[in-house]
Amino acid sequence: MARAGVTVERLAEAAAELADEVGLENVTVSELARRFGVKDASLYSHIRNAHELRVRVAVLALAELADLVAAALAGRAGKEALVAFANAYRDYAREHPGRYAAMQVELDPETARASAARRHSDMTRAILRGYSLAEPDQTDAVRLLGSTFHGFVSLEQTGGFRHHARAADESWNRTLDTLDVALRNWPVQTA
Amino acid sequence: MARAGVTVERLAEAAAELADEVGLENVTVSELARRFGVKDASLYSHIRNAHELRVRVAVLALAELADLVAAALAGRAGKEALVAFANAYRDYAREHPGRYAAMQVELDPETARASAARRHSDMTRAILRGYSLAEPDQTDAVRLLGSTFHGFVSLEQTGGFRHHARAADESWNRTLDTLDVALRNWPVQTA
DNA sequence: TGTAGAATCCTAGGAGTCCTAGGGAGAGTG
DNA sequence: CACTCTCCCTAGGACTCCTAGGATTCTACA
């Protein structure tokens, strides 16, 4: 009998595709084995357990998105960079909802270090070069941007904005305008 | 044999507690039945399926948080109201991670209408009275606030801020300062 | 080329979960 | 007391995760 040619890489890729199709919580070892024409027990020589599958999707997604963001950021600065970053982020989440959901799973410290998570915060910091913020304000701003982008995309995905006339796109653009203004008028310490 | 006294309300309450203890994804019909000293099949005369359990936790959490936010908002306005709202939100998420996660499940339109979701957006709008924003900017601002709060709390929960010296609390306070400034200097339409 | 060892896949099966079907026992009502 | 409704039961099917141990295929090296 011919071998199915299962590898961890192909498994992660297939799991990511499956996640985008049916949602991350429906990514199952059995279904994946079915897609490879293999018994589910066979997959356990490639992965340790079902959780590792999700972690691998997360790592894959983090790397993919980091590449996309890097490309979007190339040659841009200031607000242009902010908008490019944000749109790359949001577009990815909409095209790959399962991969995006996977990015939110908690990674153990080692996996997190080996992942592209660092590249993400580094690129966010790069955006802030256009706004002249020193530490620790820079870290606060990185967190503000990350929070707002993720929060918007997350609420949009779970249908939070659907039952209202105002289009999500317009709110998104105004959100970016607002962030741009906020970064340029970063508040001085009040406490 | 004495009856266990299972009701939908007690089920939802127990499911919410279980979710806070072991995470929403580990809220299982079987475990819940165990806690009531009852066979799992017995619960299906109270709920239709496992999904309904999570929906009921979501509805419960939305109502609880709406009450807390309403109390926090009483007698406050402007930035004070903004901060009170935000802290009530974040505190709830930290004290009740499972309930909070449940709030992010997609509700069907009917359930959403019957839930406290509307109270949440109404109260967010109430905050904005201190900032004199007309529609559609008000809707955009509501979404910005919701996104930022949810995004921050969500990233904080999945450990996004843990591997950095800067304390999350301080970033949170600066985020609120920034939002306050942003709402007071709401950008005029650029496009 | 022959073969040892590693990698890949298999069968078999246990445990847990979700859910349905159908039956019996307690509680309240006439 | 009898009737009915609700609650809870047993029984069991389908699916998932995962382990153990065996068989097959591929690879590399003598």
Side-chain angles (χ1 to χ4, degrees):
Chain A
M1 202 189 310
R3 298 213 171 175
V6 179
T7 65
V8 233
E9 289 76 20
R10 292 189 58 200
L11 263 181
E13 186 61 48
E17 228 134 283
L18 183 57
D20 287 338
E21 290 172 25
V22 301
L24 185 69
E25 70 281 4
N26 294 85
V27 171
T28 165
V29 177
S30 317
E31 174 60 27
L32 220 50
R34 238 168 275 138
R35 298 206 168 190
F36 277 94
V38 147
K39 298 294 173 186
D40 57 349
S42 303
L43 296 190
Y44 288 90
S45 30
H46 302 278
I47 54 166
R48 247 215 333 251
N49 50 35
H51 181 250
E52 184 181 334
L53 222 49
R54 272 145 234 193
V55 169
R56 288 196 177 276
V57 175
V59 171
L60 182 112
L62 281 169
E64 272 186 5
L65 180 52
D67 287 346
L68 287 173
V69 167
L73 237 44
R76 300 185 206 272
K79 185 180 179 184
E80 233 187 71
L82 178 74
V83 170
F85 182 113
N87 282 329
Y89 194 89
R90 179 165 176 244
D91 290 346
Y92 186 80
R94 291 200 288 188
E95 286 165 27
H96 302 290
R99 286 164 157 96
Y100 185 76
M103 283 174 46
Q104 253 59 51
V105 310
E106 195 159 351
L107 301 179
D108 62 296
E110 195 185 352
T111 310
R113 255 198 315 280
S115 77
R118 180 61 182 277
R119 284 176 65 202
H120 284 263
S121 62
D122 284 351
M123 288 191 290
T124 313
R125 276 205 156 67
I127 291 180
L128 296 177
R129 268 200 276 280
Y131 295 95
S132 61
L133 288 173
E135 288 293 6
D137 303 81
Q138 207 180 50
T139 294
D140 295 338
V142 166
R143 290 172 174 178
L144 169 62
L145 292 183
S147 297
T148 309
F149 296 162
H150 167 56
F152 194 99
V153 165
S154 175
L155 292 181
E156 190 179 14
Q157 252 178 16
T158 60
F161 301 156
R162 269 207 285 277
H163 309 293
H164 200 284
R166 177 75 166 170
D169 277 357
E170 312 195 37
S171 292
W172 174 251
N173 289 327
R174 296 317 292 293
T175 291
L176 299 186
D177 291 346
T178 306
L179 285 176
D180 175 60
V181 171
L183 290 175
R184 280 193 275 106
N185 305 328
W186 192 258
V188 291
Q189 196 77 321
T190 57
Chain B
M1 202 188 308
R3 300 214 169 175
V6 178
T7 65
V8 231
E9 289 76 20
R10 291 189 59 199
L11 263 181
E13 187 60 48
E17 228 134 283
L18 183 58
D20 287 338
E21 289 172 25
V22 300
L24 185 68
E25 70 281 4
N26 294 86
V27 171
T28 165
V29 177
S30 316
E31 174 60 28
L32 220 50
R34 236 168 276 138
R35 297 206 168 189
F36 276 94
V38 147
K39 298 294 172 184
D40 57 349
S42 304
L43 295 190
Y44 287 89
S45 33
H46 302 279
I47 54 166
R48 245 209 343 246
N49 50 36
H51 181 249
E52 184 181 334
L53 222 50
R54 272 145 233 192
V55 169
R56 288 196 178 273
V57 175
V59 171
L60 181 111
L62 281 168
E64 272 186 5
L65 180 52
D67 288 345
L68 287 174
V69 167
L73 237 46
R76 300 186 206 271
K79 187 180 177 184
E80 233 187 72
L82 178 74
V83 170
F85 182 113
N87 282 329
Y89 194 89
R90 180 167 176 242
D91 289 346
Y92 187 80
R94 292 200 288 189
E95 285 165 28
H96 302 289
R99 285 165 159 95
Y100 185 76
M103 284 175 44
Q104 253 59 51
V105 309
E106 195 158 350
L107 300 179
D108 62 296
E110 194 185 352
T111 309
R113 255 198 314 281
S115 77
R118 180 61 183 277
R119 285 176 65 201
H120 284 264
S121 61
D122 285 350
M123 289 189 290
T124 314
R125 275 204 157 68
I127 291 180
L128 296 177
R129 267 201 275 280
Y131 295 94
S132 62
L133 287 173
E135 288 292 5
D137 303 82
Q138 208 180 48
T139 294
D140 295 337
V142 166
R143 290 172 173 178
L144 170 61
L145 291 183
S147 297
T148 309
F149 295 162
H150 168 56
F152 194 99
V153 165
S154 174
L155 292 181
E156 189 179 14
Q157 250 177 18
T158 61
F161 300 156
R162 268 206 286 276
H163 309 293
H164 200 285
R166 177 74 166 169
D169 276 356
E170 313 196 36
S171 292
W172 174 251
N173 289 327
R174 295 318 292 291
T175 292
L176 299 186
D177 292 345
T178 307
L179 285 177
D180 175 61
V181 171
L183 290 175
R184 280 194 274 106
N185 305 327
W186 193 257
V188 291
Q189 197 77 317
T190 58

